[in-house]
Amino acid sequence: MALSRRTLLLTGAAVGAAGAVTVLPSAAVAARPLSTDPFTLGVASGDPDHDGFVLWTRLAPTPLAEDGLGGMPNRSVPVRWELAADERFRRVVRRGSALARPESGHSVHVELNGLQPGREYFYRFHAERHTSPVGRTRTAPAPWASGGKLVMAFASCSQFEHGYFTSYRRLAEEEPDLVLHLGDYQYEYTKDTYNIPGGNIRDHEGPETVTLANYRQRHAQYKSDPDLQAAHQVAPWAVVWDDHELDNNWADEVYERPDVPQPDFLARRAAAFQAYYENMPLRRTSIPRGIDMQLYRRIRWGRLANFHMLDTRQYRDDQACGDGTRDCPAALDPARSITGAEQERWLIDGFRRSEARWDVLGQQVFFGQRDTDAGPAKFTSMDSWDGYVGSRDRITRGWVEAKVRNTLVLTGDVHAHWATDLKLDYDDPTSRTVGSELVCSSISTGGNGADSVTGSHPYFPHNPHLRFHNNQRGYVLTRFTEREFTADFKVLPQVTTPGAPVHTRASFVVEDRVPGLHQTYDRPVDPATATARSGVDQAAETRAQETVRP
C-alpha cells in the first residue's frame, strides 16, 4: 500500500503524540531478567492459509501499567517459539525466535508458511525462564481441495464493563476450526461513561483512549480476561475492526461529534491502528503506515469457502444527515460509499474469480434494509449500509452478475441476533432473494438483554425479509459443507454474573444453490429471561443499542 501524502505528513507527529518509546543502545541498559510471568495476555493465532498462519503474543508482566508498556523493560527481549503436531510437543515441526521490541509494545508476530494444508497444530512461546500457555491452531485446506466441512464461530461487541466474557468461554468450548471477530473488540470510554441499567459490573482502567499508551493499556485489560484468552487459544481468528477500536461512529478522517472537537483526531487514529496491529494476530501486510492500515483481505478455505473480510470504516463517506436513524434522501446518493472505490472493485473482482461453494462477507454493520417506521417514510440507520444504498446495490448486483454460487453476509455491531434474506429490491415484496445475512449479538455489550417470542419484533411486518431477532448475548456457530450451511444462534441467559450456560435459541439452514434462510429450530421462550415489554419497547431498545453516547 503506497504511502499517501497525509501519511507522510502525519507519521512523525502521530508517533510523537502517541508516546512511542525509543530503544536505548544495548550498552546503556542492563539485561535484567524478567522476574515475573510476561505472558499475562495469552497467545493467539490468525489469518490461516493453506500453508501457514500468524502466531501472536505480547509480553506484559504488569498489563495495566498506565504507560502502556505492560511493565516491560526498555529493551528488546528474545522470544522463542515452537510449533508441534501434538499438544505435548513430542513432535515439534518448527521452532525459531523473534524479538519483542519496545517500539512494538513488546508484541510478537510470527508469520509461518510451508506447513501441511488442513492440519491441526499446537504452539507456545518462551521468554527467558517463562513459558506461555499452549495454543491450538490449524491451516486451511489446499486451494484445490473440495468437500470436507468447516466449523466456524463469529462474534462481536465485547464491552468489558457491561458483562463477563462468558460467551467467549462457551465459544472456546465449541472448539471451532476458525473464529471471525467482526468488530468492537474493545471500547474506548473511560469508566462511568457508557453505563447499563443498574450500573456496570466492571470498570475500564485509564482515561478515554486517545494516545498509544491509552490504547495499549486498554487492549491489555481486555486481553487479560481469561475467557477471551481461552477463545484465542482454541482456534485461529480473522479480525476486522468496527468503530470502538478508535472512536464511536468514526468515518475515515471524521470523528463522531462535531460539537466535541478533536483537533488531534488523526494522531489518535494512528495510535489506535498501531495498538490494534500490536494486539491482533495479523500478517505483516496489515502493519500500519501512519493513519493508513490495510485490513480488508481474503481468506480461502479450500474450494469450500472464501471469506472476504471488509473494512467499512476507514474509507467510508461521513454518515449522511448528521448520523442517527432518519428519513434521509442523501442516503440514496449513488456516489456515496461505505467501502471506498478501491475496496469495492477488489470485492467484486473477488466475486468474479471465485470458485468457492460459499462466498462470505465478514463485515461490521447491518447490510440488509431495516426500516424502523411502519409509515410511508423510510427511517433507517445512517451508520449502516442503509446510509449507503448505492454501495449496497453495486455490491449485491456484483455477486449476482458474477453468478456467485452462494452468498452469505456476516455482521456484528447491533448487539442482537438477527437473520434476514437479502434482496435486489427491498421495497418490492416479490423481489427475489439473492443471499442471506446473519447478525451476531454482542458478547457482553448492553448487559443481559432479554428473550422474546420469535417474530414479535415490531420491524417485522414492514420488513418481510427479516426472519429472526433475539436480544440476548452470545455468538453464532456455523457449519459449512458442500450441501448446506447451518447457523446456530447461541445465547446466554445473563452476563452480569460469570459462568452462565449457553443454549441454541434458533437454527437456520441455507441449501446449496437455494438462496434464503430456512429455520430448522426455535427454542420456546424461557419465561425466566423473556421480556414482558411491548413491541414498541423492543423497537426503542434496538434504537438505543445503536446510539451509544447519552
Side-chain angles (χ1 to χ4, degrees):
M1 183 170 57
L3 286 172
S4 66
R5 182 173 180 272
R6 67 181 187 181
T7 298
L8 291 170
L9 290 171
L10 277 167
T11 299
V15 169
V21 225
T22 301
V23 182
L24 296 176
S26 57
V29 291
R32 184 179 302 168
L34 302 175
S35 58
T36 57
D37 180 16
F39 294 109
T40 59
L41 308 184
V43 300
S45 67
D47 279 14
D49 199 351
H50 69 281
D51 71 343
F53 33 66
V54 177
L55 305 180
W56 173 94
T57 194
R58 179 182 163 206
L59 307 183
T62 311
L64 301 186
E66 291 184 2
D67 61 5
L69 299 181
M72 286 294 292
N74 189 20
R75 64 178 172 87
S76 297
V77 175
V79 176
R80 305 181 312 280
W81 55 267
E82 294 178 290
L83 185 74
D86 68 299
E87 200 167 0
R88 297 189 177 187
F89 289 80
R90 291 171 177 167
R91 292 177 288 150
V92 174
V93 297
R94 291 281 187 89
R95 54 168 51 96
S97 64
L99 282 179
R101 304 176 186 272
E103 60 266 34
S104 299
H106 288 99
S107 63
V108 173
H109 295 74
V110 178
E111 194 168 326
L112 295 177
N113 54 30
L115 302 174
Q116 294 296 310
R119 298 291 181 88
E120 180 181 69
Y121 291 95
F122 299 88
Y123 62 96
R124 64 186 177 189
F125 299 89
H126 309 275
E128 298 180 359
R129 63 185 178 86
H130 305 283
T131 298
S132 75
V134 173
R136 167 184 175 261
T137 190
R138 67 184 310 112
T139 51
W144 56 86
S146 57
K149 69 175 182 178
L150 165 65
V151 178
M152 183 274 292
F154 68 98
S156 70
C157 302
S158 46
Q159 219 287 16
F160 183 88
E161 301 175 299
H162 288 185
Y164 293 98
F165 288 171
T166 312
S167 297
Y168 280 136
R169 175 71 60 175
R170 300 295 172 250
L171 184 156
E173 291 166 354
E174 310 275 9
E175 297 189 355
D177 302 313
L178 178 67
V179 176
L180 305 188
H181 198 285
L182 303 180
D184 294 346
Y185 183 94
Q186 57 111 77
Y187 283 70
E188 74 272 32
Y189 307 114
T190 190
K191 69 177 183 179
D192 299 326
T193 300
Y194 181 16
N195 299 313
I196 58 173
N200 293 342
I201 63 164
R202 306 191 284 189
D203 288 328
H204 280 152
E205 293 286 336
E208 176 156 337
T209 52
V210 175
T211 68
L212 181 56
N214 298 157
Y215 283 108
R216 283 172 169 171
Q217 181 191 36
R218 186 61 50 80
H219 275 284
Q221 183 173 21
Y222 278 60
K223 279 286 202 311
S224 298
D225 187 280
D227 294 331
L228 175 53
Q229 289 188 17
H232 272 298
Q233 282 177 239
V234 77
W237 283 37
V239 301
V240 286
W241 56 38
D242 192 18
D243 52 342
H244 293 291
E245 288 86 353
L246 170 52
D247 180 41
N248 184 52
N249 282 18
W250 67 281
D252 193 12
E253 297 184 7
V254 181
Y255 49 87
E256 178 195 8
R257 297 177 62 184
D259 58 313
V260 183
Q262 293 192 47
D264 297 323
F265 179 72
L266 297 185
R268 180 183 186 180
R269 171 172 152 161
F273 285 15
Q274 180 173 338
Y276 188 80
Y277 177 78
E278 289 174 353
N279 286 278
M280 295 295 167
L282 289 163
R283 293 181 179 269
R284 63 177 66 93
T285 51
S286 293
I287 293 174
R289 298 184 179 187
I291 65 166
D292 298 316
M293 182 171 171
Q294 179 70 47
L295 195 61
Y296 67 84
R297 62 208 187 279
R298 197 167 283 119
I299 294 173
R300 295 179 173 88
W301 205 267
R303 297 184 69 176
L304 184 63
N306 284 337
F307 293 93
H308 310 271
M309 306 301 293
L310 303 188
D311 179 350
T312 63
R313 286 288 164 193
Q314 190 174 179
Y315 314 105
R316 67 159 67 190
D317 292 304
D318 193 15
Q319 290 90 340
C321 296
D323 207 352
T325 299
R326 308 186 186 282
D327 182 10
C328 177
L332 305 178
D333 181 353
R336 289 175 48 75
S337 177
I338 195 172
T339 62
E342 183 177 342
Q343 184 178 192
E344 184 178 300
R345 287 192 296 269
W346 167 86
L347 178 58
I348 293 175
D349 182 64
F351 293 150
R352 293 169 180 159
R353 295 172 181 267
S354 177
E355 298 179 348
R357 187 65 55 110
W358 305 91
D359 276 86
V360 183
L361 279 63
Q363 59 94 47
Q364 297 81 3
V365 293
F366 217 98
F367 189 88
Q369 180 172 293
R370 199 170 43 142
D371 185 358
T372 67
D373 187 82
K378 186 181 293 181
F379 282 81
T380 58
S381 169
M382 295 300 100
D383 191 53
S384 72
W385 290 77
D386 275 328
Y388 305 83
V389 171
S391 269
R392 180 172 64 200
D393 183 67
R394 289 189 297 273
I395 287 171
T396 304
R397 293 184 184 279
W399 79 62
V400 171
E401 292 169 3
K403 296 181 170 56
V404 169
R405 183 163 178 150
N406 300 289
T407 305
L408 303 168
V409 178
L410 307 182
T411 303
D413 183 55
V414 294
H415 314 161
H417 285 317
W418 292 85
T420 178
D421 291 330
L422 299 177
K423 304 283 186 176
L424 281 171
D425 183 356
Y426 293 95
D427 296 326
D428 177 3
T430 66
S431 179
R432 68 187 177 104
T433 296
V434 295
S436 302
E437 180 177 16
L438 299 104
V439 183
C440 61
S441 184
S442 67
I443 290 290
S444 59
T445 309
N448 291 332
D451 202 353
S452 57
V453 175
T454 299
S456 63
H457 197 284
Y459 297 173
F460 277 43
H462 52 283
N463 293 271
H465 52 281
L466 297 178
R467 302 291 304 281
F468 175 73
H469 166 267
N470 178 270
N471 190 35
Q472 293 172 291
R473 307 298 149 239
Y475 53 93
V476 181
L477 185 69
T478 70
R479 296 171 185 82
F480 294 81
T481 69
E482 287 189 296
R483 296 181 59 185
E484 64 182 22
F485 162 85
T486 65
D488 295 336
F489 286 93
K490 299 284 189 170
V491 299
L492 281 69
Q494 45 79 24
V495 294
T496 51
T497 57
V502 67
H503 67 269
T504 299
R505 178 60 181 79
S507 298
F508 288 83
V509 170
V510 179
E511 298 175 4
D512 178 36
R513 294 190 186 275
V514 184
L517 294 158
H518 303 279
Q519 188 164 2
T520 59
Y521 177 76
D522 182 13
R523 175 170 171 154
V525 172
D526 180 355
T529 60
T531 177
R533 290 166 289 183
S534 69
V536 173
D537 290 333
Q538 287 189 49
E541 180 177 85
T542 300
R543 287 193 294 272
Q545 290 165 358
E546 298 164 16
T547 306
V548 170
R549 289 185 186 267

